[in-house]
Amino acid sequence: MEKEGNIITRRDFLRAGAFAAVGGFMGFPFKGSAQGRSLEKSRVILIRDKEVLDGSGKIQEKVLEKMMDRAVMVLMDAPDPVTAWKRLLSPSDVVGIKSNAWYHLPTPEALEKLLRTKVLATGVLEKNLSVDDRGVLRNPVFRNCTALINIRPLRTHNWSGLGTLLKNYIMFTPRPADYHGNACETLGAIWHFPQVEGKTRLNILVMLTPQFHGVGPHSFSRDYVWNYSGLILSRDPVAADATGARIIQAKRNDFFSSPRPISPPPHHISVADSRFNLGNSRPEKIELIQLGWDEEILIQG
Amino acid sequence: MVVFLFISVLLAGASTAQAEALDEISRGLPDKILAWAKGEEDVLYDDRTIFDYIDGAAEVYRAYNMKQCLSRRYETADGPAIMLDIFDMGSSEDAFGVFTHDQDGEAMDLGQGAFYRSGWLSMWKERFFISIYAEQETEATRAAVLALAETVSRLIKVEGSKPRMLFYLPSTGIRPRSVKFFHEHVVLNRHYYLAGENILNLGRHTDGALAAYERKEGSARLLLLEYPDRHKAESAQTAFLKHYLPEADDSGMALLENKQWCALKVHEKWLAIVLEATDRELAQKLLEEVTAKIR
């Protein structure tokens, strides 16, 4: 148990007026929270294109590439995609693309393939590039990596509230169960492991078909995913996750026709901000740039 | 020595009986259900290997003391696969408890209780929790899921009892499907986020029930906890007052920031906490009623 006075309770959410509204993922006044976060806003790109999925849900790779190119250019203030990627990576980098292999909603292969192409175009050697999820601790590229790209679909999760970019690094610990306590509150600690710290160059939250609710042992039903047809890109994993969480919360409220807070509250996002200094979770600290299709976008910048 | 041997034999017997029970159910399962046929071999998971199977949800079943899970896959050329998972929870109380974890959907007259929603059927009977899941719902999958549930229910010959503590919950105004039974604070937090830390000292040694009420005076939730002894219940009360309700008055009540009342009371090894009561008298009444029932 934490030292006296540092226990976070529902009362803290109530005092901040935050519980019903946001489910506690956008930050609230932590007692004894650490300081030192960036004073600058975190840039988050939300790009959508309704043509990225065809009638059967198949990804249209050319549309996907256009989305990725545009998003990374805006994120990096670059005149073209190659320049943007070169601002993220150098040819000498050893690059791990941390993907997600969850059976029901994995990182789409088309995105993994696209990222490989973009990374190789910066001059990174093929032998210095790998895509992996559950094998990262044994993968020689990941063990020696100098740069990481973090990519996964956003979904609800029984234990952490949401399966987020922050949570995607849980495979970097040999003991994931150690981080399951208090709705996986301390996931941010993993980002300070030597194998990970300071290496993440880009975070991509896949919002093509996000999952807003889960039931049963398999935690998945096609009734609870929808074609949002988007991607969220940011250098800041916390800001990207907080933005995605706002969209999921809005979708839940809309689908269930009443406030239905994400449960348990995914407060690992706000804790990653306030305790682990990994980025910004509060909307006023996020520069949200929306590109492309804006129908039923469920969020305002 | 004799006592030790006797206990060992009893424990071994219990363990064997358990395994046989799941085996017995497995032997009775149909190879075909409508257009679906048994796919790959059945797999038996324990409380550790279950993580390999249901990444992300395994902790829920472990929090209810799961012993084993038998998993069978049914396949058809024309549609999605159907997964049958039979969890041996070790006790009917825990089978009921894990069943209360998710009570959305259409109530079905199967087992000792069942719900169907979005291709997933959950059911409990005796010490078993049964999940039958089709990744995509069609009319055909629904028919097959329900038929399979009926078969499994028939294979479990006896019924089990619900947790005794549920009978202490006041019945007036209790909202249908709101009752949850649990042991661990992480499960309580899933249903009602109270605190990041385990301030009530919940665990395998404690039983808990959470219920929602709607009465003419207003609405409230009641959390009833049973500790191994009075001392532990009082310690939990002290911790709750310290971390959650420091401004409670002499009767253990306080008005919170959302203009709702929170109140608590210890009686012997029981701790009752009223949460989100829209009316002070309702909070008081619920505490009195639950205490009277326990007496």
Side-chain angles (χ1 to χ4, degrees):
Chain A
M1 192 173 277
E2 293 184 24
K3 67 179 192 244
E4 272 183 39
N6 271 353
I7 294 175
I8 298 154
T9 75
R10 192 184 190 92
R11 295 291 300 276
D12 296 300
F13 290 94
L14 293 178
R15 284 185 201 106
F19 200 85
V22 299
F25 48 78
M26 294 199 308
F28 57 90
F30 277 91
K31 290 172 274 189
S33 64
Q35 298 298 312
R37 298 190 302 283
S38 167
L39 294 174
E40 289 179 12
K41 283 188 172 186
S42 298
R43 180 174 286 188
V44 172
I45 311 299
L46 167 60
I47 187 163
R48 297 170 75 218
D49 191 322
K50 69 176 172 183
E51 304 298 331
V52 72
L53 300 168
D54 71 10
S56 64
K58 189 172 183 297
I59 290 175
Q60 302 305 294
E61 294 188 12
K62 284 187 179 164
V63 181
L64 186 70
E65 183 169 10
K66 275 188 194 164
M67 289 169 70
M68 183 68 81
D69 284 350
R70 191 171 169 208
V72 81
M73 281 164 59
V74 176
L75 180 69
M76 300 308 296
D77 284 323
D80 58 77
V82 174
T83 306
W85 280 99
K86 283 186 172 171
R87 287 179 184 171
L88 289 166
L89 299 166
S90 70
S92 60
D93 272 323
V94 178
V95 182
I97 297 174
K98 175 61 181 68
S99 189
N100 193 284
W102 190 56
Y103 171 73
H104 297 289
L105 195 62
T107 303
E109 273 184 39
L111 264 168
E112 293 178 347
K113 195 174 86 178
L114 178 62
L115 285 180
R116 287 186 66 94
T117 307
K118 299 297 175 188
V119 171
L120 292 173
T122 65
V124 168
L125 299 176
E126 188 146 15
K127 67 172 183 164
N128 289 337
L129 172 62
S130 181
V131 182
D132 205 339
D133 176 13
R134 294 173 187 185
V136 292
L137 288 178
R138 299 179 302 277
N139 184 315
V141 169
F142 277 82
R143 288 168 70 97
N144 296 302
C145 74
T146 56
L148 286 164
I149 294 171
N150 183 20
I151 180 166
R152 67 159 300 158
L154 182 60
R155 68 175 179 100
T156 50
H157 192 280
N158 255 308
W159 230 233
S160 58
L162 287 173
T164 55
L165 289 160
L166 288 160
K167 187 169 186 304
N168 205 33
Y169 279 6
I170 200 164
M171 286 299 151
F172 284 105
T173 168
R175 296 158 57 98
D178 288 357
Y179 296 85
H180 285 172
N182 305 330
C184 302
E185 181 184 76
T186 57
L187 284 169
I190 297 166
W191 285 64
H192 291 297
F193 284 11
Q195 198 176 342
V196 171
E197 186 159 34
K199 293 182 180 178
T200 304
R201 308 289 174 83
L202 180 63
N203 298 281
I204 304 170
L205 199 53
V206 182
M207 299 292 285
L208 298 174
T209 59
Q211 181 188 338
F212 62 90
H213 187 55
V215 289
H218 298 273
S219 308
F220 184 80
S221 163
R222 290 200 190 279
D223 286 357
Y224 302 134
V225 295
W226 85 110
N227 288 1
Y228 187 72
S229 305
L231 298 172
I232 290 175
L233 279 76
S234 184
R235 306 291 304 274
D236 175 348
V238 183
D241 282 343
T243 303
R246 288 164 66 194
I247 294 167
I248 294 291
Q249 185 59 64
K251 180 66 181 176
R252 286 169 66 87
N253 296 348
D254 191 39
F255 183 87
F256 294 110
S257 303
S258 63
R260 183 88 172 233
I262 298 165
S263 179
H267 58 243
H268 65 273
I269 300 173
S270 50
V271 172
D273 171 349
S274 57
R275 196 184 305 167
F276 296 108
N277 297 318
L278 294 173
N280 290 311
S281 62
R282 303 183 74 89
E284 65 270 22
K285 297 289 291 177
I286 295 171
E287 179 199 5
L288 176 60
I289 300 175
Q290 297 165 356
L291 304 172
W293 185 42
D294 65 357
E295 276 175 45
E296 296 176 23
I297 195 164
L298 299 170
I299 193 168
Q300 297 304 322
Chain B
M1 181 66 178
V2 173
V3 172
F4 174 76
L5 280 173
F6 179 66
I7 291 170
S8 301
V9 168
L10 271 182
L11 290 174
S15 160
T16 308
Q18 210 162 65
E20 278 172 355
L22 212 46
D23 281 354
E24 203 173 305
I25 295 169
S26 164
R27 280 196 296 274
L29 291 173
D31 285 344
K32 281 204 74 180
I33 195 85
L34 304 184
W36 278 259
K38 182 185 168 189
E40 47 209 52
E41 280 305 297
D42 295 350
V43 184
L44 197 62
Y45 299 95
D46 63 24
D47 67 339
R48 283 184 305 162
T49 57
I50 191 69
F51 281 110
D52 302 334
Y53 179 48
I54 46 172
D55 177 28
E59 291 281 16
V60 175
Y61 301 90
R62 282 164 50 94
Y64 284 95
N65 306 310
M66 74 156 277
K67 306 294 180 232
Q68 290 181 314
C69 171
L70 173 77
S71 174
R72 173 177 289 197
R73 186 178 173 89
Y74 288 93
E75 294 171 345
T76 181
D78 307 323
I82 291 175
M83 296 301 309
L84 166 66
D85 299 309
I86 306 176
F87 292 83
D88 182 342
M89 304 304 299
S91 73
S92 61
E93 288 81 3
D94 280 337
F96 172 79
V98 81
F99 174 71
T100 64
H101 193 71
D102 189 333
Q103 299 179 78
D104 283 342
E106 183 185 348
M108 312 298 291
D109 187 18
L110 289 163
Q112 288 186 258
F115 293 111
Y116 180 82
R117 74 300 250 169
S118 304
W120 179 51
L121 181 132
S122 59
M123 176 171 83
W124 78 286
K125 190 169 182 185
E126 211 254 325
R127 65 173 191 272
F128 300 100
F129 172 75
I130 297 101
S131 160
I132 308 176
Y133 162 76
E135 189 177 302
Q136 191 160 17
E137 186 186 29
T138 64
E139 277 183 32
T141 58
R142 180 186 163 104
V145 165
L146 296 180
L148 189 53
E150 262 189 64
T151 306
V152 175
S153 180
R154 274 201 305 272
L155 290 169
I156 303 167
K157 308 276 189 241
V158 294
E159 296 203 337
S161 52
K162 289 182 183 178
R164 189 176 56 103
M165 73 183 314
L166 300 190
F167 300 103
Y168 300 142
L169 295 174
S171 54
T172 306
I174 197 162
R175 271 177 42 199
R177 301 192 191 184
S178 73
V179 177
K180 315 283 184 192
F181 174 75
F182 58 91
H183 306 286
E184 308 271 356
H185 103 283
V186 284
V187 177
L188 170 62
N189 271 356
R190 177 78 161 71
H191 299 304
Y192 187 90
Y193 182 81
L194 196 63
E197 301 297 326
N198 185 7
I199 58 174
L200 289 167
N201 196 24
L202 302 178
R204 293 190 175 212
H205 56 287
T206 52
D207 288 347
L210 178 69
Y213 288 84
E214 284 288 344
R215 293 184 178 177
K216 61 178 189 303
E217 310 95 288
S219 61
R221 289 175 197 253
L222 175 62
L223 176 62
L224 179 61
L225 304 168
E226 182 181 11
Y227 290 86
D229 55 54
R230 185 187 180 99
H231 173 69
K232 288 193 169 62
E234 285 175 345
S235 297
Q237 179 192 34
T238 305
F240 188 84
L241 285 169
K242 179 176 175 184
H243 296 296
Y244 197 84
L245 214 56
E247 67 274 61
D249 61 21
D250 291 344
S251 60
M253 302 187 81
L255 184 65
L256 305 190
E257 295 79 4
N258 57 358
K259 309 293 176 209
Q260 296 179 334
W261 290 89
C262 183
L264 73 164
K265 186 172 184 174
V266 165
H267 176 71
E268 296 172 357
K269 60 180 179 174
W270 302 83
L271 173 60
I273 304 175
V274 174
L275 302 152
E276 292 184 0
T278 54
D279 179 82
R280 183 187 167 100
E281 278 180 30
L282 173 61
Q284 212 155 16
K285 224 168 172 178
L286 282 170
L287 290 181
E288 284 164 10
E289 288 174 24
V290 71
T291 310
K293 280 199 151 203
I294 292 167
R295 280 184 187 132

